[in-house]
Amino acid sequence: MFRSLLARVARARARLNRRPNISPLSLKVLFALFLILSANQTFWARLMEVQGHQPLLVLGGGIVAFATILFCLSVLTLPYMVRPVLIFVLVLGAVASWFLDRMGVVIDRDMLQNAVNTTGNESRHLLTLPFAAHLMVFAVLPSTVVLWVRLHPMAWWRQILHYPVALALALAIFAGGMMTDYKGLSSMLRERREIAASVVPATPIVSAVRFAKLKFITSTIVAVPIGEDAVKGPHITAAGKPTLTLIVVGETARAANWSLGTYDRPTNPELAKRDIVYVDKVKSCGTSTAVSLPCMFAHYGMENHSQTAARSYYNLLDVLQQTGFDVRWYDNNTGSLGTAIRLPETRFGPKDDPTAYASGECTDAVFLPTLDKALREITGDTVIVYHQIGSHGPAYYLRYPPEFRPFPDDCRTADFSACTQEQIINAYDNTIAYTDWFLASLIDRMGAQDRVLTSMLYVSDHGESLGEGGIYLHAAPYFMARDVQTQVPVVLWTAPAYRQAMGLDQTCIATRAAQGEVTHDAVFHTVLGLADVETSLHQPALDLTEGCRDRPYQTATQDGSGAFLRRSRLFGGGAAQAVARGGLSSGTVGAFGHAFGPCAFRGQPDPFHDLCGPCAFGGGA
C-alpha cells in the first residue's frame, strides 16, 4: 500500500513536470488577452457607455486596446527578460485596475508624482484586505503561471528576431482594429480621451516613461531668480510694527462643501462669525498637490505651468525673502515639494504636539503653538506658510479628533467599501468643519494681540470627488476632472490694525472681488499686494487688493446691525445673492479680482476694465 502511494505521488510529480512549452511571443499574446479582459472593467464600461449602440466600433475599440497592451509588453520584454517583465506588468495592472475601477483614479504622470511624494501613513491607508485579495487573484496567481510554463528554447538570434516580430504583430493588430471603423474610432479617441486613459496597464506604463523623462530633465535645471527689483512699499515701511502675513495652504478642500458658499450643511459655523472675505469656486491649477502647490506660488500663470517651469524659476516665497521678509514653511503634509527648497522648512512629527498626534496622525492643531510663538517673538516683517493635512483622504476620520464630529455617523475606516455614501460624506464634512475651527482659531489668536500687524490668506490646493460619476479622491487628469476637483475655497482676513497701517479698505476688496472668474493665478499677485511689495512682476489685474488702498469705497451697503451685505458671490460670473455677515467692518465674501475673465491671463485686454472703465472699482486698475 505504501509503495502504491509513492507511485501515485511520483506520477503526480511527473504530470506537474510536464509543463507546457510556449514561445515568448505566444505568452505575451495570452497575457495581453488576460489583461484586456481582467484589468479593464472601467475601459469597457466607458466604451459601452459612449458607443454601446455601435457593436462594430466597440469591437474595434477592444482590438485597438488589446494591441496597445501587446505593444507595451513587446517593447518592455527584451530578450531573456520575458518572465520578470510580465510579472511586473501583472502587478502594475492589478494595482492600477483596483484604483481605477473602485475609485476612478487614473494612474497618469501626475498620479505617479503623487505616489512618490506620498508619506508612509498615506500609503498604509490604501493597503486594505480587499486590495490584498484583489492582488492575490489578479497578480500573484497569474504570476505563478508565468513562472510555471516552460519557454520554448530558442537560439539567441531567434530571441532577438522575436522582438521586432512582436512589435510588428502589435502594430498590425492595431491597424486592423482601426480599420473596423477608422472615422468613428479616431473621432472617439480624440474627443473622449478618458476612454484611452483607462486602458490598463498601457496608461501606467506610458505615464511611468513620461515621469522618468520628466525627472531626468528637471534634475539638471538650475532655478533663475525673479523679482530682483522687489522692494517694500511705503505702507509697510512706515507701519511702525512688525507684520505677519500667514498663508495657509489647504488640502483637498472642495468649495462645493463649504457653507460659506452654496452648501446647505453648516460646515463653516466659526468663519461665518468672523470678519472675512470668502472667495467661492476658485479654479485650481491642478487636481493634485504635486501640480497645484508649485503652480500657485509661481509668477508665470497656470496655463504655462509644468514641473519644468516650476523648477526653472524662483517663486513668490523667494521674492519675499529677497525683499527682506523672514519666510518660513511649516508642514503637516507631504512637504513643500520643492516650493520652499531655499527656505527653512519644518515638518511635524509625534514629538511636536502629542495632543494633536493622539489619533496616530497629526491634526492641524499642531500648527497653533508655532503661531503663538511667532506672535510673541518675531521682530521683523514675516511670512509664514502652513501646509495643512486638511481633508486628505481616504482616512478622513483621522483629520479631526474623535470628539470633534458635528456630523457623527461618519466613515471610520479608509476602506470606502465598508461605509455608506452618507458616512463618507459625513466624514469629509467633518474635515471641512475642523478646518473651519482651525482657521477661526488662527484668526482669534492673531486678533487678540496688538504687538504684530497680522493678515491671513487661506487657499486650498485642489478639491475632492466623493462618488460623483463613480469617482473618489482626487488627481483625475484635468481634462476629465469634474468641478468638485477643480473648484476650491479661499479666505482672506486682515486685522483692523493691519488694514489701518496698510491703508486697505476691505469693503473695496470684497466688492472688487465679487466680479469675474478667479484662479490660483491670483495667489502670487494678491500676496504681493497684501504684503505691500512693489515689483515689475506684480500684475494689478490679478491682485485682490489692487485699487483698495487709502480711498473710500461706497458700493457695499450696511444694515442696522453693522453687518455688510455681500452683493454677489463668484460663480464664474454667476448670480448675485445678498448674504449678511455679522460684525463686518469692511466687507465679506468675494473673488480674486475683477479682471479674471478668460482673457486676463492670456495677455489679452481686461474685458471687465474695458466694460466698466477705470473708475468702476474704486480707481483700481
Side-chain angles (χ1 to χ4, degrees), residues 196-450:
S198 59
V199 177
V200 174
T203 295
I205 290 173
V206 173
S207 299
V209 173
R210 294 179 61 225
F211 179 68
K213 178 183 175 182
L214 175 67
K215 283 298 183 182
F216 175 76
I217 293 173
T218 57
S219 64
T220 59
I221 292 176
V222 177
V224 176
I226 61 171
E228 294 181 293
D229 62 338
V231 295
K232 294 182 180 180
H235 291 89
I236 193 170
T237 302
K241 292 183 178 181
T243 64
L244 170 61
T245 302
L246 179 62
I247 304 171
V248 181
V249 179
E251 171 65 46
T252 319
R254 69 187 213 173
N257 286 54
W258 280 55
S259 58
L260 289 174
T262 57
Y263 198 43
D264 58 2
R265 304 182 84 186
T267 53
N268 304 120
E270 296 302 322
L271 287 176
K273 304 172 187 175
R274 270 68 175 182
D275 180 0
I276 63 166
V277 173
Y278 173 68
V279 190
D280 198 22
K281 298 182 179 178
V282 173
K283 187 176 181 181
S284 67
C285 286
T287 61
S288 66
T289 305
V291 175
S292 288
L293 190 59
C295 176
M296 70 172 72
F297 287 96
H299 73 287
Y300 45 70
M302 59 185 286
E303 290 199 344
N304 299 312
H305 176 70
S306 66
Q307 292 296 326
T308 303
R311 293 293 184 93
S312 298
Y313 298 99
Y314 280 29
N315 57 50
L316 170 65
L317 302 181
D318 298 308
V319 174
L320 294 169
Q321 186 179 53
Q322 293 166 180
T323 311
F325 288 83
D326 178 12
V327 185
R328 314 171 191 173
W329 184 288
Y330 293 90
D331 207 284
N332 189 32
N333 204 312
T334 55
S336 71
L337 307 184
T339 306
I341 194 170
R342 291 167 289 274
L343 304 171
E345 180 175 351
T346 301
R347 298 183 68 173
F348 293 112
K351 296 180 181 179
D352 293 298
D353 189 340
T355 302
Y357 211 87
S359 63
E361 294 186 25
C362 274
T363 66
D364 288 322
V366 73
F367 290 110
L368 297 177
T370 67
L371 178 61
D372 294 336
K373 187 173 186 289
L375 293 172
R376 290 193 307 267
E377 297 179 357
I378 62 174
T379 57
D381 298 323
T382 303
V383 174
I384 292 178
V385 182
Y386 287 163
H387 185 198
Q388 287 184 274
I389 192 67
S391 302
H392 199 287
Y396 300 131
Y397 69 102
L398 293 177
R399 309 303 169 223
Y400 49 89
E403 64 274 11
F404 188 96
R405 297 165 68 188
F407 307 101
D409 186 21
D410 54 348
C411 183
R412 307 294 295 174
T413 175
D415 181 8
F416 286 168
S417 64
C419 299
T420 65
Q421 184 65 16
E422 181 182 4
Q423 289 172 329
I424 294 171
I425 293 174
N426 283 344
Y428 182 82
D429 283 350
N430 284 338
T431 69
I432 300 299
Y434 192 69
T435 290
D436 172 76
W437 170 86
F438 170 66
L439 295 177
S441 299
L442 296 175
I443 291 172
D444 292 348
R445 280 168 157 79
M446 290 188 287
Q449 55 81 49
D450 59 3

Side-chain angles (χ1 to χ4, degrees), residues 457-577:
L457 178 69
Y458 165 86
V459 54
S460 180
D461 57 356
H462 54 78
E464 183 85 325
S465 288
L466 297 174
E468 296 86 359
I471 298 175
Y472 290 87
L473 304 180
H474 53 269
Y478 208 87
F479 69 85
M480 59 180 286
R482 294 176 178 243
D483 289 346
V484 290
Q485 289 197 34
T486 62
Q487 293 181 344
V488 299
V490 167
V491 174
L492 174 67
W493 173 84
T494 54
Y498 188 92
R499 293 198 292 267
Q500 182 177 1
M502 296 293 177
L504 285 173
D505 183 346
Q506 191 161 296
T507 306
C508 164
I509 295 174
T511 307
R512 170 182 167 84
Q515 309 294 324
E517 183 183 50
V518 182
T519 74
H520 268 164
D521 287 346
V523 173
F524 184 96
H525 304 282
T526 298
V527 170
L528 290 178
L530 190 63
D532 193 26
V533 173
E534 298 178 353
T535 170
S536 58
L537 290 175
H538 180 243
Q539 296 184 38
L542 304 182
D543 177 7
L544 177 60
T545 70
E546 178 64 22
C548 295
R549 291 188 188 276
D550 293 330
R551 49 173 64 92
Y553 205 81
Q554 303 298 331
T555 303
T557 61
Q558 191 175 19
D559 65 14
S561 67
F564 279 81
L565 298 182
R566 179 177 61 192
R567 290 301 189 187
S568 64
R569 182 188 294 116
L570 172 66
F571 294 100
Q577 179 177 349

Side-chain angles (χ1 to χ4, degrees), residues 163-224:
Y163 189 78
V165 168
L167 294 177
L169 177 63
L171 292 174
I173 296 173
F174 184 92
M178 290 296 295
M179 288 302 103
T180 59
D181 187 349
Y182 181 82
K183 182 179 179 180
L185 283 170
S186 60
S187 175
M188 180 187 72
L189 294 175
R190 188 168 53 248
E191 301 297 330
R192 301 302 298 266
R193 290 187 291 166
E194 73 276 10
I195 296 177
S198 59
V199 177
V200 174
T203 295
I205 290 173
V206 173
S207 299
V209 173
R210 294 179 61 225
F211 179 68
K213 178 183 175 182
L214 175 67
K215 283 298 183 182
F216 175 76
I217 293 173
T218 57
S219 64
T220 59
I221 292 176
V222 177
V224 176

Side-chain angles (χ1 to χ4, degrees), residues 26-37:
S26 298
L27 188 63
K28 284 182 277 189
V29 170
L30 288 175
F31 274 91
L33 184 62
F34 171 78
L35 287 166
I36 191 62
L37 296 176

